[in-house]
Amino acid sequence: MRVQVAIIGAGPAGLLLGALLHRAGIAAVIVEQRSADYVLGRIRAGVLEQTTVDLLDAAGVGARMHHEGLLHDGIQLCFGGMRHRIDLKTLSGGKHVMVYGQTEVTRDLMHARDAAGLKTIYEADHVSIHDFESTRPIVRYRRGNKTDEIECDFIAGCDGFHGITRTSVPASAIHAHERVYPFGWLGVLSQTPPVSHELIYSNHERGFALCSMRSMVLSRYYVQCSLDDKAENWSDAAFWDELRRRLDPAAAEALVTGPAIEKSIAPLRSFVAEPMRFGRLFLAGDAAHIVPPTGAKGLNLAASDVGYLSRALAEFYRGSEDGISHYSERCLRRVWKAERFSWWFTSLMHRFPETGVFGQRLQAAELDYLVHSTAASTVLAENYVGLPLEV
Ligand code: RFL
Ligand code: PHB
């Protein structure tokens, strides 16, 4: 098979890139190692920046999101037993975020892809990439007991943190920067109305907690947990008790509990690989960088990377290499700002075993400052709703 662009990975980065390239008249195929149902079964992000919403609209897949998604004008910070509202809209000059689950974004992109008759190869084993330093890169994979080959002009590595594209680059050509946090998030999805109409981020002496949602009848909650914890060791009752303890009295009282539909533990990591382009191979999304989920930036960075990449490839086929030359630098400028924000918000909101009372007092002072200084809350709001895309 021969295509212009071979995309590795059918997560949000790969699927959105496929949709944007299709709009630009560029032929692409997606190679994914899992089944479509498996990809849809992963419960992940919930908060979309306006720039992500705009890209989904540009890809022609925004209709259901605008109908079912929830626009949020604020978030709430809980500490010292009290809640404080950060008015995102006023502080950011009129912006808001869209609460619409990654699962639904993925579903919409998959449906649009099927409806347009575009090819996705699911359950591809032993995916490997070759010759991306030349102008004729190749992707190989196995399906059943047959090996197939795709010849292409470009490879987009959208295969997430554990994928093969980043690790196919010679170690001498790539630099990785990493910080692993000494705790994880235990997440629960439940068919219950959310405890609050806005997300609550809570700093508590027992650890961080987050109250989020997917709709007015589907809630997503997280509590900071130990890296040794196992999701199966947490009964539903133990999870709800722990969450309640980490909220202010009014939220604890209002919390509606129910059976967990999904329960899992995610480790927290900051990671950036530089550069993001190697000849005809481009890394995008989690394949190139990871942020701890506190800032809700991972999916949004994946979207902005593929926004830059689709534009760069469209320019290439119109005769200019400018976009592909600047791809890595353009992405990384945005990535490092999101890394900084996610690291800062994570550091502010979690219990760190090693910092002791001194660290806790500093957190309390910063939170107090944050909610009482317009300058400080503006910095939070501006980053949370998302920095503007560089043009
Ligand atoms: P994905 O979603 O990991 O998709 C990669 C795809 O590549 C496939 N793959 C391969 N395919 C072929 N060959 C191989 N060798 C392959 N290896 C892997 C995989 O099966 C998969 O289908 O990466 P992508 O597309 O870059 O998207 C990134 C986002 O998924 C991620 O950044 C977000 O989920 C992060 N995140 C959040 N981001 C936000 O913007 N807002 C949020 O509110 C938010 N909350 C979260 C989050 C991530 C979380 N976890 C579980 C880490 C909350 C959590 C708990
Ligand atoms: C989620 O709804 O899963 C979610 C929301 C906000 C975050 C992280 C995760 O910061």
Side-chain angles (χ1 to χ4, degrees), residues 120-175:
T120 311
I121 300 157
Y122 285 104
E123 299 181 65
D125 282 330
H126 300 102
V127 179
S128 61
I129 59 173
H130 308 269
D131 302 339
F132 48 82
E133 289 295 345
S134 79
T135 53
R136 289 258 173 259
I138 286 174
V139 175
R140 281 199 197 102
Y141 62 94
R142 275 180 83 77
R143 245 190 138 246
N145 48 19
K146 196 167 161 284
T147 300
D148 266 316
E149 207 168 89
I150 303 168
E151 286 175 34
C152 53
D153 298 334
F154 296 100
I155 298 174
C158 301
D159 50 349
F161 183 67
H162 300 287
I164 54 94
T165 56
R166 185 184 69 251
T167 51
S168 302
V169 174
S172 59
I174 191 164
H175 300 277

Side-chain angles (χ1 to χ4, degrees), residues 300-355:
N300 292 299
L301 282 181
S304 54
D305 286 354
V306 301
Y308 288 134
L309 184 53
S310 60
R311 219 174 56 195
L313 292 173
E315 279 174 27
F316 174 86
Y317 287 110
R318 285 197 302 265
S320 162
E321 297 212 6
D322 228 46
I324 63 171
S325 309
H326 291 109
Y327 170 75
S328 179
E329 178 197 323
R330 216 165 249 161
C331 290
L332 285 166
R333 262 187 94 186
R334 188 174 173 81
V335 166
W336 276 111
K337 290 192 190 97
E339 291 284 345
R340 187 212 65 81
F341 172 67
S342 305
W343 160 82
W344 167 78
F345 202 27
T346 302
S347 309
L348 180 65
M349 298 308 289
H350 290 74
R351 235 343 128 251
F352 283 73
E354 74 279 9
T355 50

Side-chain angles (χ1 to χ4, degrees), residues 44-47 185 199 201 210 212-214 220 222 293-296:
R44 288 184 168 181
V47 177
W185 278 19
L199 271 62
Y201 290 84
L210 168 59
S212 182
M213 66 193 76
R214 292 293 175 271
R220 180 69 164 160
Y222 299 94
T294 327

Side-chain angles (χ1 to χ4, degrees), residues 9 14 42 86 163 177 181-182 186 200 346:
R42 291 190 290 232
I86 300 290
H177 311 277
Y181 297 84
L186 169 66
I200 304 175
T346 302

Side-chain angles (χ1 to χ4, degrees), residues 73-352:
D73 292 342
I75 55 170
Q76 308 198 2
L77 299 184
C78 177
F79 55 93
M82 297 209 347
R83 250 184 290 161
H84 307 260
R85 183 167 192 267
I86 300 290
D87 187 335
L88 296 175
K89 191 171 180 184
T90 305
L91 292 164
S92 70
K95 293 191 189 159
H96 40 226
V97 290
M98 170 80 82
V99 172
Y100 188 65
Q102 177 167 333
T103 311
E104 303 314 312
V105 171
T106 308
R107 200 189 306 281
D108 294 344
L109 285 161
M110 283 179 175
H111 279 160
R113 202 164 167 82
D114 288 348
L118 303 175
K119 194 171 168 85
T120 311
I121 300 157
Y122 285 104
E123 299 181 65
D125 282 330
H126 300 102
V127 179
S128 61
I129 59 173
H130 308 269
D131 302 339
F132 48 82
E133 289 295 345
S134 79
T135 53
R136 289 258 173 259
I138 286 174
V139 175
R140 281 199 197 102
Y141 62 94
R142 275 180 83 77
R143 245 190 138 246
N145 48 19
K146 196 167 161 284
T147 300
D148 266 316
E149 207 168 89
I150 303 168
E151 286 175 34
C152 53
D153 298 334
F154 296 100
I155 298 174
C158 301
D159 50 349
F161 183 67
H162 300 287
I164 54 94
T165 56
R166 185 184 69 251
T167 51
S168 302
V169 174
S172 59
I174 191 164
H175 300 277
H177 311 277
E178 182 168 45
R179 160 143 206 203
V180 177
Y181 297 84
F183 41 73
W185 278 19
L186 169 66
V188 157
L189 185 71
S190 74
Q191 215 137 37
T192 49
V195 63
S196 150
H197 68 290
E198 290 177 342
L199 271 62
I200 304 175
Y201 290 84
S202 181
N203 173 312
H204 189 271
E205 61 191 30
R206 298 180 64 88
F208 170 76
L210 168 59
C211 305
S212 182
M213 66 193 76
R214 292 293 175 271
S215 71
M216 293 321 285
V217 291
L218 194 59
S219 297
R220 180 69 164 160
Y221 295 107
Y222 299 94
V223 293
Q224 175 184 348
C225 65
S226 154
L227 282 172
D228 306 325
D229 265 335
K230 299 264 172 293
E232 57 272 23
N233 294 342
W234 280 83
S235 67
D236 291 358
F239 178 85
W240 295 121
D241 282 348
E242 189 57 42
L243 176 63
R244 230 183 255 114
R245 283 193 195 109
R246 298 184 189 189
L247 300 177
D248 60 285
E253 170 84 14
L255 183 69
V256 180
T257 63
I261 305 171
E262 194 262 4
K263 198 186 284 158
S264 55
I265 292 181
L268 268 68
R269 181 193 308 273
S270 296
F271 175 90
V272 182
E274 296 178 314
M276 288 171 60
R277 175 197 173 192
F278 308 88
R280 293 288 184 105
L281 167 67
F282 299 89
L283 302 181
D286 280 15
H289 41 72
I290 295 285
V291 283
T294 327
K297 290 284 167 255
L299 171 59
N300 292 299
L301 282 181
S304 54
D305 286 354
V306 301
Y308 288 134
L309 184 53
S310 60
R311 219 174 56 195
L313 292 173
E315 279 174 27
F316 174 86
Y317 287 110
R318 285 197 302 265
S320 162
E321 297 212 6
D322 228 46
I324 63 171
S325 309
H326 291 109
Y327 170 75
S328 179
E329 178 197 323
R330 216 165 249 161
C331 290
L332 285 166
R333 262 187 94 186
R334 188 174 173 81
V335 166
W336 276 111
K337 290 192 190 97
E339 291 284 345
R340 187 212 65 81
F341 172 67
S342 305
W343 160 82
W344 167 78
F345 202 27
T346 302
S347 309
L348 180 65
M349 298 308 289
H350 290 74
R351 235 343 128 251
F352 283 73

